[in-house]
Amino acid sequence: DAMVIQNPRYQVTQFGKPVTLSCSQTLNHNVMYWYQQKSSQAPKLLFHYYDKDFNNEADTPDNFQSRRPNTSFCFLDIRSPGLGDAAMYLCATSRAWTGDNYGYTFGSGTRLTVV
Amino acid sequence: GNSVTQMEGPVTLSEEAFLTINCTYTATGYPSLFWYVQYPGEGLQLLLKATKADDKGSNKGFEATYRKETTSFHLEKGSVQVSDSAVYFCALLLISGGYNKLIFGAGTRLAVHP
């Protein structure tokens, strides 16, 4: 089945130690998104890739970076995690706008704990 | 600006009770509207959607109707089950620069007791 896969499901990292979360898709969608969801809050868009074009949300901290080496994979890098970065990180994909509303397909998320 | 407002939770119901979760939106243009469900420890799953005014989305006994005049998309189910316990997110979809941008409400937690 075509899907969006996030690894790992759970990640524990040390305060200040760089960490990378990964997302892969078999849907061949143009657009890949990263959302941060803190406990009991709505998902918040961090950034997205439209093909190779990177688009950062205005309020995304510089501590968060992303890479998309090919259509299938996208990575979220947190350069120096702080305790406030503990959250569920959700990857999603969608097709580029073609006159219909495809919506998103979400992965199962990676829960990040910072110790 | 573009935003989604949901009723605050938690909503606590007995099994077989009627469910309504209110959702209203503010948007430029005519967005598509969605309900997503999130079970504990999981990602988001699409529950239903509506793409234009007066459309009704439905899935697994849940329904929501896109009401342009009241800018609302309330979620309803006639008889809830314990397995419906989850967090429900209302969202609107904007088209911006050739891609789709989902904007979520704060979520409403539903707890159904036997």
Side-chain angles (χ1 to χ4, degrees):
Chain A
D1 286 344
M3 59 180 65
V4 179
I5 300 170
Q6 290 188 245
N7 285 306
R9 287 293 304 275
Y10 302 93
Q11 175 74 57
V12 179
T13 191
Q14 290 180 336
F15 183 95
K17 184 175 180 181
V19 65
T20 294
L21 309 181
S22 74
C23 177
S24 64
Q25 56 134 338
T26 59
L27 299 159
N28 204 32
H29 283 173
N30 301 86
V31 194
M32 295 186 77
Y33 308 81
W34 280 104
Y35 280 82
Q36 180 192 62
Q37 186 183 21
K38 295 187 177 180
S39 181
S40 302
Q41 296 184 22
K44 177 180 175 296
L45 182 63
L46 295 173
F47 29 58
H48 75 275
Y49 270 96
Y50 182 175
D51 292 330
K52 295 183 179 180
D53 293 332
F54 178 71
N55 297 272
N56 204 27
E57 293 299 301
D59 55 354
T60 298
D62 293 340
N63 198 26
F64 291 85
Q65 304 286 325
S66 187
R67 295 171 284 133
R68 189 179 185 185
N70 54 53
T71 300
S72 301
F73 285 87
C74 194
F75 300 98
L76 169 63
D77 301 310
I78 308 177
R79 291 191 297 187
S80 181
L83 297 178
D85 296 327
M88 172 80 90
Y89 289 87
L90 297 166
C91 175
T93 70
S94 75
R95 297 186 199 185
W97 174 247
T98 57
D100 197 352
N101 294 289
Y102 289 109
Y104 285 20
T105 302
F106 280 88
S108 297
T110 294
R111 183 167 296 282
L112 178 69
T113 301
V114 182
V115 298
Chain B
N2 302 297
S3 65
V4 177
T5 302
Q6 287 181 239
M7 64 186 288
E8 285 191 25
V11 173
T12 304
L13 295 173
S14 297
E15 207 164 24
E16 299 183 3
F18 185 86
L19 168 71
T20 299
I21 300 178
N22 290 339
C23 170
T24 58
Y25 67 91
T26 302
T28 53
Y30 303 100
S32 294
L33 300 173
F34 297 79
W35 278 100
Y36 281 86
V37 59
Q38 187 175 36
Y39 298 101
E42 300 290 326
L44 294 167
Q45 298 177 26
L46 177 64
L47 182 60
L48 54 83
K49 69 176 183 180
T51 60
K52 61 183 186 295
D54 300 325
D55 268 3
K56 178 187 282 188
S58 62
N59 186 27
K60 299 180 181 178
F62 291 89
E63 293 183 340
T65 301
Y66 190 146
R67 301 285 187 200
K68 185 177 134 187
E69 62 277 10
T70 54
T71 62
S72 65
F73 193 54
H74 304 320
L75 182 68
E76 296 181 336
K77 187 174 185 182
S79 176
V80 293
Q81 305 300 313
V82 172
S83 58
D84 293 327
S85 299
V87 180
Y88 293 81
F89 290 94
C90 185
L92 64 85
L93 186 72
L94 298 173
I95 309 304
S96 174
Y99 72 96
N100 303 336
K101 181 174 181 176
L102 262 182
I103 296 175
F104 290 92
T108 302
R109 182 175 300 278
L110 170 66
V112 180
H113 299 289

